[in-house]
Protein backbone atom coordinates (compact mmCIF):
# COMPACT_ATOMS: atom_id res chain seq x y z
CA UNK A 1 0.00 0.00 0.00
CA UNK A 2 1.12 3.53 -0.73
CA UNK A 3 -0.03 6.44 1.44
CA UNK A 4 0.41 10.17 0.96
CA UNK A 5 1.16 12.15 4.10
CA UNK A 6 1.19 15.95 4.10
CA UNK A 7 3.61 17.25 6.72
CA UNK A 8 3.24 20.70 8.28
CA UNK A 9 6.29 21.09 10.51
CA UNK A 10 5.22 24.62 11.47
CA UNK A 11 6.99 26.99 13.83
CA UNK A 12 9.04 26.91 17.04
CA UNK A 13 9.72 23.32 18.11
CA UNK A 14 7.43 22.03 15.31
CA UNK A 15 10.22 20.96 12.90
CA UNK A 16 12.20 19.23 15.71
CA UNK A 17 9.32 17.11 16.98
CA UNK A 18 7.92 16.28 13.54
CA UNK A 19 11.32 14.92 12.50
CA UNK A 20 11.14 12.38 15.35
CA UNK A 21 7.58 11.33 14.45
CA UNK A 22 8.69 10.73 10.85
CA UNK A 23 11.51 8.50 12.15
CA UNK A 24 8.84 6.35 13.80
CA UNK A 25 6.57 6.26 10.74
CA UNK A 26 9.59 5.19 8.66
CA UNK A 27 10.21 2.24 10.98
CA UNK A 28 6.57 1.19 10.58
CA UNK A 29 6.83 1.55 6.79
CA UNK A 30 9.97 -0.56 6.57
CA UNK A 31 8.38 -3.36 8.61
CA UNK A 32 4.95 -3.42 7.00
CA UNK A 33 5.99 -2.95 3.40
CA UNK A 34 3.74 0.06 3.00
CA UNK A 35 5.16 3.09 1.27
CA UNK A 36 4.78 6.51 2.89
CA UNK A 37 5.21 9.51 0.63
CA UNK A 38 5.71 12.75 2.59
CA UNK A 39 5.02 16.19 1.14
CA UNK A 40 6.21 19.09 3.30
CA UNK A 41 3.89 22.10 3.14
CA UNK A 42 3.74 25.52 4.79
CA UNK A 43 1.27 26.81 7.36
CA UNK A 44 1.39 29.32 10.21
CA UNK A 45 4.22 31.75 10.84
CA UNK A 46 6.64 30.34 8.30
CA UNK A 47 3.92 30.43 5.65
CA UNK A 48 3.27 34.09 6.51
CA UNK A 49 6.94 34.94 6.15
CA UNK A 50 7.35 33.08 2.87
CA UNK A 51 3.98 33.62 1.16
CA UNK A 52 2.20 36.43 3.04
CA UNK A 53 -0.71 34.22 4.20
CA UNK A 54 -0.96 31.69 7.07
CA UNK A 55 -2.58 29.02 4.88
CA UNK A 56 -1.45 29.03 1.23
CA UNK A 57 -3.86 27.48 -1.32
CA UNK A 58 -1.15 24.99 -2.28
CA UNK A 59 -1.12 23.65 1.30
CA UNK A 60 -4.89 23.11 1.23
CA UNK A 61 -4.71 21.33 -2.14
CA UNK A 62 -1.89 19.02 -1.05
CA UNK A 63 -3.59 18.22 2.28
CA UNK A 64 -6.85 17.44 0.44
CA UNK A 65 -4.98 15.08 -1.88
CA UNK A 66 -3.31 13.27 1.06
CA UNK A 67 -4.39 10.33 3.22
CA UNK A 68 -3.38 12.15 6.40
CA UNK A 69 -1.81 15.36 7.66
CA UNK A 70 0.89 15.41 10.34
CA UNK A 71 1.30 18.77 12.07
CA UNK A 72 3.88 20.02 14.57
CA UNK A 73 2.63 23.35 15.90
CA UNK A 74 2.23 26.90 14.64
CA UNK A 75 2.62 30.37 16.09
CA UNK A 76 5.07 32.44 18.04
CA UNK A 77 5.67 35.94 19.40
CA UNK A 78 6.87 37.24 16.02
CA UNK A 79 3.34 36.95 14.62
CA UNK A 80 1.33 37.71 17.79
CA UNK A 81 0.29 41.24 16.92
CA UNK A 82 -1.06 40.63 13.43
CA UNK A 83 -4.80 41.00 12.73
CA UNK A 84 -6.86 37.84 13.36
CA UNK A 85 -7.07 36.66 9.75
CA UNK A 86 -3.28 36.82 9.39
CA UNK A 87 -2.38 35.09 12.65
CA UNK A 88 -0.85 31.60 12.41
CA UNK A 89 -3.88 30.14 14.25
CA UNK A 90 -6.07 31.27 11.32
CA UNK A 91 -4.17 28.65 9.31
CA UNK A 92 -5.17 25.99 11.81
CA UNK A 93 -8.87 26.89 11.76
CA UNK A 94 -8.71 27.18 7.96
CA UNK A 95 -7.20 23.76 7.36
CA UNK A 96 -9.67 22.06 9.75
CA UNK A 97 -12.54 23.69 7.92
CA UNK A 98 -11.12 22.99 4.42
CA UNK A 99 -10.75 19.30 5.30
CA UNK A 100 -14.19 19.10 6.96
CA UNK A 101 -12.71 17.94 10.27
CA UNK A 102 -15.47 18.12 12.88
CA UNK A 103 -14.33 15.63 15.51
CA UNK A 104 -11.38 16.24 17.78
CA UNK A 105 -10.10 13.16 19.59
CA UNK A 106 -7.87 13.75 22.58
CA UNK A 107 -6.71 10.75 24.57
CA UNK A 108 -5.65 11.53 28.14
CA UNK A 109 -3.59 8.63 29.37
CA UNK A 110 -1.39 8.45 32.43
CA UNK A 111 1.63 6.32 31.52
CA UNK A 112 2.54 4.21 34.60
CA UNK A 113 6.17 5.38 34.37
CA UNK A 114 5.03 8.99 34.73
CA UNK A 115 2.62 8.40 37.64
CA UNK A 116 4.67 10.84 39.76
CA UNK A 117 3.80 13.66 37.34
CA UNK A 118 0.05 13.27 38.02
CA UNK A 119 -1.07 16.06 40.36
CA UNK A 120 -3.83 13.86 41.85
CA UNK A 121 -3.38 11.78 45.00
CA UNK A 122 -1.95 8.32 44.16
CA UNK A 123 -5.12 6.74 45.65
CA UNK A 124 -7.20 8.58 43.01
CA UNK A 125 -4.86 7.98 40.07
CA UNK A 126 -3.96 4.40 40.97
CA UNK A 127 -6.89 2.96 38.98
CA UNK A 128 -5.18 4.35 35.91
CA UNK A 129 -6.27 7.18 33.67
CA UNK A 130 -7.09 6.18 30.12
CA UNK A 131 -9.83 8.30 28.64
CA UNK A 132 -10.60 9.63 25.18
CA UNK A 133 -12.37 12.96 24.84
CA UNK A 134 -14.32 13.39 21.61
CA UNK A 135 -14.98 17.10 21.15
CA UNK A 136 -17.25 18.57 18.49
CA UNK A 137 -15.02 20.97 16.59
CA UNK A 138 -16.97 23.02 14.07
CA UNK A 139 -20.28 23.96 15.71
CA UNK A 140 -21.72 25.35 18.93
CA UNK A 141 -21.10 28.67 20.58
CA UNK A 142 -17.68 29.25 18.98
CA UNK A 143 -19.37 29.47 15.59
CA UNK A 144 -22.85 30.75 16.57
CA UNK A 145 -24.30 34.18 16.05
CA UNK A 146 -22.73 36.83 18.30
CA UNK A 147 -22.97 40.53 18.75
CA UNK A 148 -22.74 43.62 20.86
CA UNK A 149 -25.16 46.43 21.43
CA UNK A 150 -26.06 49.11 23.93
CA UNK A 151 -29.29 48.46 25.82
CA UNK A 152 -31.15 50.05 28.75
CA UNK A 153 -28.45 48.93 31.18
CA UNK A 154 -25.58 49.99 28.96
CA UNK A 155 -23.22 47.75 26.95
CA UNK A 156 -24.26 44.14 26.29
CA UNK A 157 -22.97 41.21 24.29
CA UNK A 158 -24.24 37.77 23.32
CA UNK A 159 -22.98 34.48 21.85
CA UNK A 160 -25.26 31.69 20.67
CA UNK A 161 -24.99 27.96 21.32
CA UNK A 162 -26.66 26.29 18.35
CA UNK A 163 -26.49 22.67 17.24
CA UNK A 164 -28.31 20.79 14.52
CA UNK A 165 -29.35 17.18 15.06
CA UNK A 166 -27.11 16.28 12.12
CA UNK A 167 -24.03 17.79 13.77
CA UNK A 168 -24.77 15.96 17.02
CA UNK A 169 -25.44 12.67 15.28
CA UNK A 170 -22.15 12.63 13.37
CA UNK A 171 -20.02 13.42 16.44
CA UNK A 172 -21.93 10.84 18.50
CA UNK A 173 -21.18 8.19 15.86
CA UNK A 174 -17.46 9.00 16.05
CA UNK A 175 -17.61 8.53 19.84
CA UNK A 176 -19.51 5.23 19.72
CA UNK A 177 -17.19 3.82 17.05
CA UNK A 178 -14.16 4.84 19.12
CA UNK A 179 -15.68 3.18 22.19
CA UNK A 180 -16.14 -0.07 20.25
CA UNK A 181 -12.31 -0.16 19.86
CA UNK A 182 -11.83 0.53 23.57
CA UNK A 183 -13.71 -0.37 26.77
CA UNK A 184 -17.16 0.13 25.21
CA UNK A 185 -18.48 2.95 27.35
CA UNK A 186 -19.55 6.46 26.26
CA UNK A 187 -20.21 9.32 28.66
CA UNK A 188 -22.17 12.08 26.93
CA UNK A 189 -21.61 15.42 28.65
CA UNK A 190 -24.16 18.23 28.41
CA UNK A 191 -26.08 20.80 30.45
CA UNK A 192 -29.53 19.39 29.71
CA UNK A 193 -30.98 20.66 33.00
CA UNK A 194 -30.65 24.23 31.66
CA UNK A 195 -29.89 24.42 27.94
CA UNK A 196 -32.29 23.51 25.12
CA UNK A 197 -29.33 22.77 22.82
CA UNK A 198 -28.18 20.21 25.41
CA UNK A 199 -31.63 18.61 25.53
CA UNK A 200 -31.44 18.07 21.76
CA UNK A 201 -27.87 16.82 22.22
CA UNK A 202 -29.07 14.20 24.74
CA UNK A 203 -32.03 13.06 22.60
CA UNK A 204 -29.88 12.60 19.50
CA UNK A 205 -27.06 10.79 21.35
CA UNK A 206 -29.65 8.34 22.73
CA UNK A 207 -31.05 7.77 19.24
CA UNK A 208 -27.55 7.02 17.91
CA UNK A 209 -26.85 4.70 20.87
CA UNK A 210 -29.52 2.30 19.54
CA UNK A 211 -27.16 1.50 16.63
CA UNK A 212 -24.40 0.52 19.07
CA UNK A 213 -25.99 -1.96 21.49
CA UNK A 214 -22.57 -3.24 22.57
CA UNK A 215 -21.63 0.19 23.97
CA UNK A 216 -22.88 1.42 27.35
CA UNK A 217 -24.10 5.05 27.39
CA UNK A 218 -24.32 7.36 30.38
CA UNK A 219 -25.31 11.05 30.49
CA UNK A 220 -23.46 13.45 32.74
CA UNK A 221 -23.94 17.15 33.39
CA UNK A 222 -20.85 19.17 32.57
CA UNK A 223 -20.37 20.48 36.12
CA UNK A 224 -20.40 16.92 37.45
CA UNK A 225 -18.03 15.80 34.67
CA UNK A 226 -15.54 18.51 35.69
CA UNK A 227 -15.64 17.13 39.26
CA UNK A 228 -15.44 13.46 38.29
CA UNK A 229 -12.34 14.03 36.13
CA UNK A 230 -10.40 14.90 39.30
CA UNK A 231 -12.37 12.68 41.71
CA UNK A 232 -12.48 9.41 39.77
CA UNK A 233 -10.84 9.77 36.33
CA UNK A 234 -10.52 5.99 35.96
CA UNK A 235 -14.32 5.72 35.50
CA UNK A 236 -14.19 7.33 32.04
CA UNK A 237 -13.60 5.56 28.74
CA UNK A 238 -14.91 7.76 25.89
CA UNK A 239 -16.40 11.17 26.69
CA UNK A 240 -18.32 13.00 23.94
CA UNK A 241 -19.27 16.63 24.24
CA UNK A 242 -19.81 19.96 22.53
CA UNK A 243 -17.16 22.35 21.28
CA UNK A 244 -16.94 24.62 24.33
CA UNK A 245 -17.40 21.94 27.01
CA UNK A 246 -14.83 19.79 25.19
CA UNK A 247 -12.36 22.65 25.01
CA UNK A 248 -12.46 23.10 28.78
CA UNK A 249 -12.74 19.46 29.88
CA UNK A 250 -9.96 18.25 27.56
CA UNK A 251 -7.53 20.75 29.08
CA UNK A 252 -8.56 19.61 32.56
CA UNK A 253 -8.08 15.96 31.56
CA UNK A 254 -4.71 16.65 29.98
CA UNK A 255 -3.45 18.31 33.16
CA UNK A 256 -4.07 15.24 35.29
CA UNK A 257 -1.77 13.18 33.08
CA UNK A 258 1.13 15.37 34.10
CA UNK A 259 2.79 16.73 30.99
CA UNK A 260 1.66 18.75 28.03
CA UNK A 261 4.53 17.22 26.04
CA UNK A 262 2.91 13.77 26.15
CA UNK A 263 -0.56 14.27 24.71
CA UNK A 264 -1.55 13.66 21.08
CA UNK A 265 -4.71 14.52 19.17
CA UNK A 266 -6.55 13.65 15.99
CA UNK A 267 -9.08 15.74 14.09
CA UNK A 268 -11.36 13.65 11.90
CA UNK A 269 -14.18 14.15 9.42
CA UNK A 270 -16.40 11.77 7.48
CA UNK A 271 -13.69 9.94 5.58
CA UNK A 272 -10.51 8.37 6.90
CA UNK A 273 -8.35 11.44 6.28
CA UNK A 274 -7.40 13.21 9.50
CA UNK A 275 -5.07 15.81 10.91
CA UNK A 276 -2.77 14.69 13.71
CA UNK A 277 -0.94 17.01 16.08
CA UNK A 278 0.29 17.26 19.66
CA UNK A 279 -2.00 19.29 21.92
CA UNK A 280 0.79 21.66 22.92
CA UNK A 281 1.87 24.78 21.03
CA UNK A 282 5.10 25.75 19.33
CA UNK A 283 6.96 26.33 22.64
CA UNK A 284 9.06 29.23 21.32
CA UNK A 285 10.83 29.43 24.71
CA UNK A 286 12.68 26.14 24.04
CA UNK A 287 12.78 26.08 20.21
CA UNK A 288 16.11 25.18 18.64
CA UNK A 289 17.60 23.80 21.86
CA UNK A 290 17.01 20.12 21.12
CA UNK A 291 15.17 19.58 24.42
CA UNK A 292 11.51 19.46 23.28
CA UNK A 293 9.59 16.33 24.15
CA UNK A 294 8.70 14.58 20.86
CA UNK A 295 6.41 11.96 22.45
CA UNK A 296 3.10 13.80 21.91
CA UNK A 297 3.91 14.06 18.22
CA UNK A 298 5.06 10.43 18.06
CA UNK A 299 1.79 9.40 19.75
CA UNK A 300 -0.08 11.58 17.23
CA UNK A 301 1.66 9.57 14.50
CA UNK A 302 0.32 6.42 16.22
CA UNK A 303 -3.20 7.88 15.95
CA UNK A 304 -2.51 8.60 12.26
CA UNK A 305 -1.62 4.93 11.74
CA UNK A 306 -4.78 3.83 13.56
CA UNK A 307 -7.41 6.20 12.19
CA UNK A 308 -6.19 7.14 8.70
CA UNK A 309 -4.11 4.16 7.56
CA UNK A 310 -5.99 1.41 9.41
CA UNK A 311 -2.73 0.06 10.89
CA UNK A 312 -4.15 -0.69 14.35
CA UNK A 313 -1.49 -3.21 15.43
CA UNK A 314 1.31 -0.89 14.38
CA UNK A 315 -0.32 1.99 16.26
CA UNK A 316 -0.45 -0.22 19.37
CA UNK A 317 3.21 -1.11 18.82
CA UNK A 318 4.23 2.57 18.67
CA UNK A 319 2.33 3.28 21.91
CA UNK A 320 4.01 0.31 23.60
CA UNK A 321 7.43 1.48 22.35
CA UNK A 322 6.82 4.87 23.96
CA UNK A 323 5.79 3.21 27.23
CA UNK A 324 8.85 0.93 27.12
CA UNK A 325 11.21 3.88 26.52
CA UNK A 326 9.76 5.63 29.56
CA UNK A 327 9.95 2.39 31.60
CA UNK A 328 13.64 2.26 30.66
CA UNK A 329 14.04 5.61 32.43
CA UNK A 330 14.57 7.94 29.47
CA UNK A 331 13.13 11.44 29.92
CA UNK A 332 13.25 14.78 28.14
CA UNK A 333 13.73 17.63 30.66
CA UNK A 334 9.99 18.50 30.87
CA UNK A 335 9.15 15.06 32.32
CA UNK A 336 12.40 14.38 34.18
CA UNK A 337 11.06 15.38 37.62
CA UNK A 338 13.49 15.15 40.51
CA UNK A 339 14.15 11.38 40.46
CA UNK A 340 17.79 10.27 40.30
CA UNK A 341 16.81 7.08 38.45
CA UNK A 342 16.15 8.66 35.08
CA UNK A 343 18.37 9.57 32.17
CA UNK A 344 17.70 13.00 30.69
CA UNK A 345 17.94 12.89 26.89
CA UNK A 346 17.54 15.23 23.93
CA UNK A 347 14.64 15.35 21.47
CA UNK A 348 16.56 13.27 18.92
CA UNK A 349 17.81 10.74 21.51
CA UNK A 350 14.23 10.20 22.69
CA UNK A 351 13.08 9.65 19.09
CA UNK A 352 15.97 7.25 18.45
CA UNK A 353 15.14 5.24 21.59
CA UNK A 354 11.47 4.86 20.65
CA UNK A 355 12.47 3.90 17.08
CA UNK A 356 14.88 1.26 18.41
CA UNK A 357 12.29 -0.21 20.76
CA UNK A 358 9.70 -0.24 17.96
CA UNK A 359 12.12 -1.94 15.55
CA UNK A 360 12.84 -4.65 18.13
CA UNK A 361 9.12 -5.25 18.71
CA UNK A 362 8.23 -5.36 15.00
CA UNK A 363 11.20 -7.62 14.20
CA UNK A 364 10.18 -10.02 16.98
CA UNK A 365 6.64 -10.07 15.58
CA UNK A 366 7.95 -10.99 12.11
CA UNK A 367 10.10 -13.75 13.62
P1 LIG B 1 2.92 25.99 24.45
O1 LIG B 1 2.16 24.72 24.53
O2 LIG B 1 3.68 26.21 23.21
O3 LIG B 1 3.97 26.06 25.68
C1 LIG B 1 3.55 26.07 27.05
C2 LIG B 1 4.74 25.58 27.92
O4 LIG B 1 4.91 24.17 27.72
C3 LIG B 1 6.08 26.21 27.53
O5 LIG B 1 6.85 26.40 28.68
C4 LIG B 1 6.74 25.17 26.64
O6 LIG B 1 8.15 25.22 26.68
C5 LIG B 1 6.19 23.88 27.23
N1 LIG B 1 6.07 22.85 26.19
C6 LIG B 1 5.13 22.78 25.22
N2 LIG B 1 5.34 21.72 24.44
C7 LIG B 1 6.45 21.12 24.92
C8 LIG B 1 7.18 19.97 24.51
N3 LIG B 1 6.82 19.22 23.47
N4 LIG B 1 8.28 19.64 25.24
C9 LIG B 1 8.65 20.36 26.30
N5 LIG B 1 7.99 21.44 26.73
C10 LIG B 1 6.90 21.82 26.04
O7 LIG B 1 1.88 27.17 24.73
P2 LIG B 1 2.10 28.75 24.64
O8 LIG B 1 3.45 29.11 25.16
O9 LIG B 1 0.89 29.32 25.25
O10 LIG B 1 2.04 29.07 23.08
C11 LIG B 1 3.19 29.24 22.25
C12 LIG B 1 2.73 29.47 20.83
O11 LIG B 1 2.08 28.29 20.33
C13 LIG B 1 1.71 30.61 20.68
O12 LIG B 1 2.01 31.34 19.53
C14 LIG B 1 0.38 29.88 20.56
O13 LIG B 1 -0.55 30.65 19.84
C15 LIG B 1 0.81 28.65 19.79
N6 LIG B 1 -0.09 27.50 19.94
C16 LIG B 1 -0.24 26.71 18.84
C17 LIG B 1 -1.02 25.57 18.92
C18 LIG B 1 -1.12 24.69 17.69
O14 LIG B 1 -0.34 24.83 16.77
N7 LIG B 1 -2.07 23.76 17.66
C19 LIG B 1 -1.65 25.22 20.11
C20 LIG B 1 -1.45 26.03 21.24
C21 LIG B 1 -0.65 27.18 21.14
Amino acid sequence: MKYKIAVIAGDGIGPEIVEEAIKILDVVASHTGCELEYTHVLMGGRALDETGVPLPDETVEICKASDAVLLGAVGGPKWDNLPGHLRPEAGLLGIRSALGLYANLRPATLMPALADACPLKPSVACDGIDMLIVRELTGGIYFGKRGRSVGEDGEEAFDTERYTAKEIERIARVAFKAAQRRRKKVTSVDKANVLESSRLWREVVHRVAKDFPDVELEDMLVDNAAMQIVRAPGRFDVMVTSNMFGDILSDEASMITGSIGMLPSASLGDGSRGLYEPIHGSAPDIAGQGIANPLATILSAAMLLRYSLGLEREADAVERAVAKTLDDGLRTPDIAGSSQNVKVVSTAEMGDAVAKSLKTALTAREG
Side-chain angles (χ1 to χ4, degrees):
M1 288 294 282
K2 187 171 172 178
Y3 299 104
K4 290 182 178 173
I5 300 182
V7 179
I8 305 172
D11 308 313
I13 60 170
E16 303 165 49
I17 52 180
V18 160
E19 193 178 328
E20 301 313 310
I22 288 180
K23 257 182 209 169
I24 301 307
L25 290 174
D26 283 343
V27 172
V28 170
S30 67
H31 282 266
T32 52
C34 68
E35 195 182 324
L36 302 181
E37 182 187 302
Y38 307 105
T39 308
H40 289 261
V41 288
L42 294 175
M43 192 179 93
R46 236 188 97 196
L48 269 163
D49 288 351
E50 293 186 25
T51 71
V53 289
L55 181 62
D57 291 344
E58 190 194 18
T59 296
V60 174
E61 277 160 34
I62 291 173
C63 290
K64 277 185 170 170
S66 300
D67 297 295
V69 182
L70 179 67
L71 167 65
V74 294
K78 182 178 174 191
W79 306 283
D80 269 355
N81 295 321
L82 293 170
H85 69 287
L86 284 181
R87 285 177 59 108
E89 293 79 359
L92 202 51
L93 293 180
I95 194 70
R96 283 177 185 157
S97 151
L99 299 180
L101 307 175
Y102 57 80
N104 185 231
L105 274 59
R106 275 192 183 193
T109 310
L110 178 62
M111 299 251 175
L114 295 183
D116 282 353
C118 175
L120 302 179
K121 279 192 290 193
S123 59
V124 173
C126 63
D127 282 352
I129 302 171
D130 180 10
M131 61 191 288
L132 175 71
I133 298 196
V134 178
R135 168 191 169 194
E136 203 287 326
L137 205 55
T138 56
I141 198 163
Y142 291 0
F143 292 89
K145 198 173 167 198
R146 70 193 55 172
R148 276 184 181 234
S149 59
V150 179
E152 279 175 16
D153 294 326
E155 272 188 297
E156 48 185 64
F158 70 95
D159 299 274
T160 319
E161 173 85 347
R162 178 180 176 275
Y163 268 112
T164 64
K166 204 173 147 200
E167 286 171 323
I168 301 167
E169 178 173 342
R170 65 184 187 178
I171 192 76
R173 287 196 183 279
V174 171
F176 280 99
K177 282 182 194 159
Q180 282 181 321
R181 294 174 159 171
R182 296 172 45 100
R183 302 194 305 279
K184 299 189 171 52
K185 181 176 170 191
V186 167
T187 304
S188 172
V189 173
D190 60 39
K191 189 71 184 165
N193 54 341
V194 179
L195 301 176
E196 199 53 43
S197 53
S198 278
R199 287 192 269 274
L200 178 66
W201 180 280
R202 201 174 270 210
E203 278 167 37
V204 174
V205 171
H206 278 260
R207 285 208 292 266
V208 172
K210 295 200 175 92
D211 293 341
F212 299 87
D214 54 331
V215 178
E216 180 195 343
L217 169 64
E218 71 171 348
D219 300 302
M220 192 175 282
L221 295 175
V222 63
D223 32 358
N224 187 20
M227 286 194 293
Q228 298 302 329
I229 286 175
V230 289
R231 200 186 74 85
R235 72 190 299 294
F236 293 112
D237 179 16
V238 174
M239 179 184 282
V240 62
T241 190
S242 64
N243 202 342
M244 181 165 67
F245 294 161
D247 190 4
I248 298 165
L249 294 178
S250 61
D251 270 20
E252 187 191 3
S254 65
M255 260 320 292
I256 60 171
T257 66
S259 171
I260 195 165
M262 292 295 305
L263 297 176
S265 80
S267 298
L268 305 174
D270 280 332
S272 60
R273 185 181 50 224
L275 182 144
Y276 302 86
E277 58 177 321
I279 71 156
H280 59 72
S282 59
D285 53 335
I286 57 166
Q289 298 175 31
I291 57 169
N293 185 345
L295 295 180
T297 318
I298 289 174
L299 292 168
S300 301
M303 294 185 86
L304 182 157
L305 294 168
R306 175 173 295 123
Y307 292 106
S308 282
L309 310 195
L311 297 172
E312 183 85 38
R313 287 173 67 206
E314 287 71 18
D316 289 346
V318 173
E319 287 162 357
R320 279 198 300 272
V322 168
K324 163 95 176 51
T325 307
L326 293 171
D327 286 345
D328 290 345
L330 269 64
R331 304 280 190 275
T332 42
D334 59 307
I335 50 172
S338 53
S339 167
Q340 300 298 310
N341 300 325
V342 300
K343 183 177 175 212
V344 179
V345 295
S346 69
T347 308
E349 285 168 334
M350 182 60 101
D352 288 342
V354 177
K356 190 172 165 210
S357 169
L358 179 63
K359 258 183 223 163
T360 308
L362 295 179
T363 308
R365 194 177 83 181
E366 285 155 13

